Amino acid sequence: QVQVVESGGGLVQAGGSLRLSCTASRLTFDDYAMGWFRQAPGKEREGVACISHSGKTTYYADSVKGRFTISRDNANDTMYLQMNSLKPEDTALYYCAIEWQSYSWRRCNLAAFGYWGQGTQVAVSS
């Protein structure tokens, strides 16, 4: 069974930075596109940033462009989300997810992601 584990969340003041990490086991890490999604209370889960299996292609939600950077280290089976200039509206539970299908690129389409972590909480105070 595929295991996905996020880390790095926390409480930060507006304007601050956090880096989230995601590791996965029991699959060939560099065969799969991955992404970060978030869900705030009372809101739907949304795609924040996604990255292709090779790392050459990325996608960002408009709300985070220029502030967040997604990357992956396939040699160490780890994906990252560097979050800078954080805003209170970035407060949410952040999930790492992996697409169902290898060598696929669905550009952060929620339905394409079948393996999910438990989430890591990010809270930004004003």
Side-chain angles (χ1 to χ4, degrees), residues 40-60:
K43 294 189 176 182
E44 293 187 352
R45 192 170 298 189
E46 62 173 354
V48 175
C50 291
I51 188 166
S52 64
H53 70 95
S54 66
K56 292 180 180 179
T57 304
T58 57
Y59 164 87
Y60 293 94

Side-chain angles (χ1 to χ4, degrees), residues 6-11 17-21 83 120-122:
E6 307 96 336
S7 62
L11 173 64
S17 298
L18 283 174
R19 188 175 81 157
L20 306 183
S21 299
M83 304 185 294
T120 185
Q121 182 67 46
V122 171

